[in-house]
Amino acid sequence: MKRLTIMIILLSSLLTMLIQPVGAANYGGVPQSEVRAAPQTFVTNFTDHSMKGLFSTTEQTFWIAKDWDVESVLLHLEYRATQLADTQLSSLTVAINGTYFYSLRPADNSGNRHGLDIYVPLESLQQGYNNIRIDGYMRTQNALPCVDDVSEANWLDIFKESNLSVRFDKNAFTTSIDSFYNRFFEVDALRYGESAFIISDADDPAELSAALLGISGISNQTIYPDGYFPILTFSDPAANLPANRIVIASYDQLPDNYRSLADQHGINDEDALLVLTNEGTKTNTLIITAKNDVALINAGRMLGNPALMNQLQSTTKQLGKTADIKTQVYEAESYISFAGSEGANYKGAFHQVKEFTINYPSNRSLTNASEFYLNYRYSENLDFDRSLMTVYINDIPVGSRKLSQHMAGGDEATIPIPTDIDIGGSFQVKVTFDLEIKDLWCSLRQGDMPWAYLTPSTMLKINSVANQDLIFENYPAPFVTDYSFNAVSLVVPDQLDGETTNLLAKMFRVMGRYTKGNTGEISVLHPEEMNETALYANIIAVGTYDNNSFIKSNNDKLYFQFSEDGISFLSNEKLAIDPAYGKTLGSAQLLDSLYSKPGRASLMVVAPDQTGLVAISNNLGEMKNLGRLSGDVALADTNGKVLTYRFKAPKNPTIAVAQQIAVSQEAQIFLVVSIMVLILIVVGLVMVARKHGIEIRKGGWRK
């Protein structure tokens, strides 16, 4: 009996071992959260930085995602110290999130580059952003205290080859729609191409519309700008590679296994259905399907509403085609608090700097009456004849204020932004404090005295107007205005190819970074579907001369036109083009409305063939390359060369008028009072005239 019991236990254990892999690999089966993905390494690179002076600091942030189980964080440091460094006194000290954990002496003073690997203590890490700070103390040989402090020979270079490597693993499978959703756009998934959208091969505009709305809505939530979400089709072999897939397809176009899954979860004629399934290749797939286009597009739009998506803690969701899933409409802010919820601390003597990024709609420029309001305090042991606070925009000084002893416990300043600073879209703000101490022209140590503190109530008041100039410096305006898509009609070829869908995926990834929420309208059309609504929209057309008849029919309106056979671009007054070279080019051309509709524009992204589309997509579709585009036409060749031109004359009357009327608050009050007085005078004259029986008749006044 005992032997039989032992045999049963052994057989059960063996059976369990055999069953578990099958369960994990079950196609469309139950999520297997205990299965782990292979360890990965996410690398964050430094930029070149020169640390100058006796005391110097450089910082680098890196990201820890919520679902990463971190094994190790390795700091690789590449540096070079001054040849005059005193290696017995000089030092480098490294801190993680404000906690020091490693110090070293420079290896030597030969002037050669040195590499060093340092493990970061895991107990000091936090979810989200983490900060590595490197403090340098560079004392030169045989130097006297204080004499050495102002020498230009104190330097240490940190090279861009320095990096932070985070090694981690995570669950192979997600167990709910919300967990899948957050994994889909995580930094590692984007960088390593682990996430993709999949549509059918039917060239269905509704499927493409839903996918592009999804890409845009997800993109504005991403942390890093690099990477994109490819749009693949069921027949594409690459569709089986991504670990995280969002399938957007009408019910009739679903493969049999997905359609069967939709049937099991009770799909109906009116609602869209979201189903999460974990496939045998350790692939997480969110199926979004519907039997009507309105519901399918509505479900694609919901991907841009994180508040709703993070509430879906199950594997299925039915969504009505009229369900309200739009986020709030975001408008250009008038007041922006930029010092953070905890303010900004400045420590130590002399020049101290903090930088802040102001995100603002690309279609807007600052006008008169924009100003900074700064609230701050500082230590009382300063030399107040020499200490001051200064504000910069994009490294251009805006204004300064002296610090004073009687205001040290709570000071404030209002600094107007000069009108000669041309600012459009996002920009950088820098607030510096020069904290001077009497009789101190150097510092023997770098302590916390003196100090300054910028409070959270510090803010920027912005008056802005919409840019009217249709140029790439303002792109993606007017297609994205005030954080929303602005009535965009996208004209695509009747038959989509991989290069065109790749171009669209990249373009809408970039444009989505300029949006907030999921409002605004995008409609996808084939050339023969152009209707009255589309004519009044902002039009984006993509494709080649041969595969998109809309481009062919508007060839005469292009600045760089196609040859009669459509195989090359022609020369014009701006550029002589060799026919062979013209075959290799891709072009993005910003035109006024092709149908003379006021306030509307057309973006023609065109090429003689797919190689040219790839060339231009590498610029329109990558944040780091977008700055290469200027004017209203950009040409890109297969070697990465970009040529830009401007054909339209500058046109920005809205800003000119606004600058004239956007006067100061005092002037506005004076204007209002003047108008009221004028009205009172007119009313008084009328009443006096009536009292004396005077009337206005033909020919003049009559009694």
Side-chain angles (χ1 to χ4, degrees):
M1 183 70 181
K2 186 175 181 181
R3 184 177 297 175
L4 180 61
T5 302
I6 293 172
M7 289 182 64
I8 291 173
I9 292 173
L10 289 172
L11 287 172
S12 298
S13 301
L14 180 60
L15 187 60
T16 301
M17 293 174 62
L18 292 172
I19 288 175
Q20 280 182 340
V22 176
N26 183 25
Y27 188 88
V30 178
Q32 303 294 314
S33 60
E34 73 276 5
V35 180
R36 309 297 292 180
Q40 291 179 281
T41 300
F42 189 85
V43 178
T44 301
N45 292 309
F46 283 57
T47 56
D48 286 333
H49 187 82
S50 184
M51 302 170 65
K52 297 179 180 179
L54 180 65
F55 300 109
S56 57
T57 298
T58 186
E59 295 180 305
Q60 178 64 52
T61 58
F62 63 100
W63 182 259
I64 299 291
K66 181 170 63 175
D67 65 343
W68 291 359
D69 289 335
V70 178
E71 294 181 5
S72 63
V73 177
L74 181 65
L75 169 63
H76 175 70
L77 203 58
E78 295 260 349
Y79 70 93
R80 179 174 59 201
T82 174
Q83 291 87 342
L84 298 179
D86 187 329
T87 57
Q88 299 303 310
L89 296 177
S90 300
S91 65
L92 288 175
T93 302
V94 186
I96 173 70
N97 297 325
T99 302
Y100 291 109
F101 68 92
Y102 195 88
S103 294
L104 68 144
R105 303 286 185 196
D108 58 47
N109 52 17
S110 64
N112 295 322
R113 181 186 294 205
H114 297 279
L116 177 70
D117 289 334
I118 307 168
Y119 280 97
V120 177
L122 300 184
E123 64 271 14
S124 298
L125 299 178
Q126 60 191 25
Q127 181 183 316
Y129 282 113
N130 290 259
N131 176 271
I132 282 283
R133 189 176 78 244
I134 302 170
D135 292 336
Y137 175 72
M138 296 306 299
R139 178 68 72 187
T140 55
Q141 297 169 345
N142 302 319
L144 297 174
C146 289
V147 175
D148 191 29
D149 290 27
V150 293
S151 171
E152 293 295 324
N154 308 67
W155 57 263
L156 183 135
D157 292 333
I158 303 293
F159 295 101
K160 63 183 178 181
E161 287 76 17
S162 301
N163 60 63
L164 284 148
S165 300
V166 181
R167 184 171 174 80
F168 64 93
D169 69 359
K170 57 187 178 183
N171 292 329
F173 294 129
T174 53
T175 57
S176 60
I177 292 176
D178 68 313
S179 62
F180 167 85
Y181 177 71
N182 287 284
R183 175 173 296 190
F184 188 84
F185 58 83
E186 194 50 88
V187 292
D188 56 315
L190 262 169
R191 175 174 291 181
Y192 301 127
E194 295 176 353
S195 297
F197 282 78
I198 300 173
I199 59 177
S200 74
D201 295 84
D203 295 314
D204 186 343
E207 293 179 5
L208 185 57
S209 294
L212 294 177
L213 283 167
I215 288 174
S216 303
I218 287 176
S219 291
N220 62 46
Q221 302 168 59
T222 54
I223 301 301
Y224 287 177
D226 56 347
Y228 74 105
F229 305 101
I231 300 176
L232 308 171
T233 61
F234 288 129
S235 63
D236 190 336
N240 296 317
L241 300 178
N244 311 303
R245 311 189 308 169
I246 295 180
V247 172
I248 298 182
S250 62
Y251 175 81
D252 293 338
Q253 299 299 329
L254 288 175
D256 291 341
N257 53 340
Y258 290 158
R259 192 181 302 125
S260 174
L261 199 60
D263 290 336
Q264 292 174 30
H265 289 87
I267 189 170
N268 58 51
D269 293 337
E270 296 298 317
D271 301 333
L273 179 68
L274 287 73
V275 179
L276 175 67
T277 181
N278 305 132
E279 306 195 42
T281 55
K282 296 184 180 178
T283 300
N284 300 282
T285 303
L286 178 63
I287 302 166
I288 300 177
T289 188
K291 294 184 178 181
N292 65 84
D293 292 347
V294 176
L296 187 67
I297 292 173
N298 204 40
R301 185 186 295 276
M302 192 171 85
L303 293 172
N305 189 326
L308 282 178
M309 293 299 297
N310 283 311
Q311 295 172 25
L312 305 183
Q313 298 178 8
S314 64
T315 57
T316 61
K317 166 67 178 176
Q318 281 197 334
L319 180 69
K321 66 179 181 181
T322 59
D324 183 11
I325 47 79
K326 288 187 178 181
T327 62
Q328 70 179 84
V329 176
Y330 293 89
E331 298 179 350
E333 300 92 331
S334 297
Y335 295 90
I336 298 176
S337 178
F338 60 85
S341 59
E342 297 181 357
N345 284 295
Y346 299 77
K347 297 179 180 180
F350 308 127
H351 191 66
Q352 304 294 333
V353 181
K354 296 286 184 183
E355 293 191 10
F356 311 92
T357 298
I358 307 297
N359 294 312
Y360 209 64
S362 61
N363 65 301
R364 292 196 161 267
S365 292
L366 271 63
T367 62
N368 292 2
S370 296
E371 60 188 16
F372 285 98
Y373 169 74
L374 300 111
N375 187 274
Y376 48 98
R377 52 185 180 266
Y378 37 86
S379 54
E380 297 183 11
N381 63 331
L382 300 174
D383 181 350
F384 291 103
D385 291 330
R386 298 188 297 146
S387 298
L388 73 158
M389 178 273 300
T390 307
V391 180
Y392 300 79
I393 291 182
N394 292 339
D395 290 325
I396 300 173
V398 173
S400 296
R401 293 292 184 272
K402 283 188 67 176
L403 308 185
S404 63
Q405 188 167 15
H406 73 280
M407 296 295 292
D411 205 346
E412 61 182 6
T414 299
I415 300 179
I417 299 175
T419 57
D420 60 356
I421 299 180
D422 185 18
I423 301 171
S426 299
F427 54 95
Q428 296 292 123
V429 167
K430 182 166 62 178
V431 181
T432 69
F433 281 87
D434 287 283
L435 304 175
E436 304 288 343
I437 297 179
K438 283 187 177 182
D439 302 322
L440 178 69
W441 56 278
C442 70
S443 177
L444 297 178
R445 64 183 181 84
Q446 188 165 22
D448 292 345
M449 289 292 292
W451 58 267
Y453 173 65
L454 202 61
T455 74
S457 58
T458 294
M459 64 179 56
L460 174 62
K461 174 191 171 186
I462 293 183
N463 284 341
S464 67
V465 292
N467 296 317
Q468 300 299 309
D469 232 356
L470 189 57
I471 52 177
F472 281 112
E473 286 87 341
N474 298 330
Y475 181 82
F479 309 98
V480 175
T481 60
D482 293 348
Y483 305 123
S484 293
F485 282 100
N486 182 21
V488 175
S489 287
L490 177 64
V491 187
V492 300
D494 290 323
Q495 292 185 330
L496 288 171
D497 54 76
E499 287 78 9
T500 304
T501 53
N502 192 55
L503 165 69
L504 292 173
K506 287 185 172 183
M507 280 183 62
F508 279 81
R509 156 72 171 151
V510 169
M511 287 194 287
R513 294 271 298 175
Y514 291 87
T515 66
K516 289 184 179 180
N518 63 358
T519 55
E521 298 300 326
I522 304 171
S523 59
V524 178
L525 305 166
H526 291 141
E528 67 276 5
E529 296 173 328
M530 291 294 293
N531 51 36
E532 193 65 20
T533 301
L535 301 186
Y536 278 89
N538 288 299
I539 296 173
I540 299 176
V542 298
T544 68
Y545 183 88
D546 286 334
N547 71 13
N548 192 329
S549 59
F550 179 81
I551 294 170
K552 182 184 294 187
S553 63
N554 287 285
N555 184 39
D556 60 326
K557 300 182 179 69
L558 298 177
Y559 295 124
F560 281 91
Q561 299 177 5
F562 288 98
S563 58
E564 189 174 345
D565 54 10
I567 64 172
S568 180
F569 282 108
L570 298 174
S571 303
N572 61 19
E573 69 274 20
K574 297 283 187 180
L575 180 67
I577 301 178
D578 179 79
Y581 183 66
K583 294 179 181 180
T584 69
L585 295 175
S587 175
Q589 307 189 31
L590 282 169
L591 312 173
D592 291 321
S593 170
L594 299 175
Y595 304 99
S596 302
K597 305 303 180 185
R600 297 305 192 192
S602 301
L603 172 60
M604 310 293 279
V605 186
V606 297
D609 59 27
Q610 278 73 17
T611 57
L613 285 182
V614 172
I616 196 63
S617 73
N618 291 334
N619 294 279
L620 280 175
E622 293 190 25
M623 291 290 295
K624 64 182 180 182
N625 291 336
L626 203 57
R628 302 173 67 189
L629 308 183
S630 62
D632 46 26
V633 173
L635 301 175
D637 66 19
T638 53
N639 295 320
K641 184 178 181 180
V642 176
L643 303 171
T644 59
Y645 303 93
R646 178 161 187 159
F647 288 83
K648 295 186 293 292
K651 181 184 67 173
N652 217 342
T654 302
I655 290 180
V657 172
Q659 287 179 335
Q660 294 174 24
I661 65 174
V663 292
S664 66
Q665 186 175 7
E666 292 79 5
Q668 293 176 15
I669 294 172
F670 176 78
L671 186 62
V672 170
V673 171
S674 299
I675 292 172
M676 292 177 66
V677 171
L678 184 61
I679 292 172
L680 288 173
I681 291 173
V682 172
V683 171
L685 288 173
V686 171
M687 292 178 67
V688 170
R690 288 186 175 179
K691 182 178 180 181
H692 292 84
I694 299 173
E695 298 178 354
I696 298 178
R697 296 180 181 174
K698 187 175 181 180
W701 294 89
R702 294 288 186 272
K703 184 150 181 164

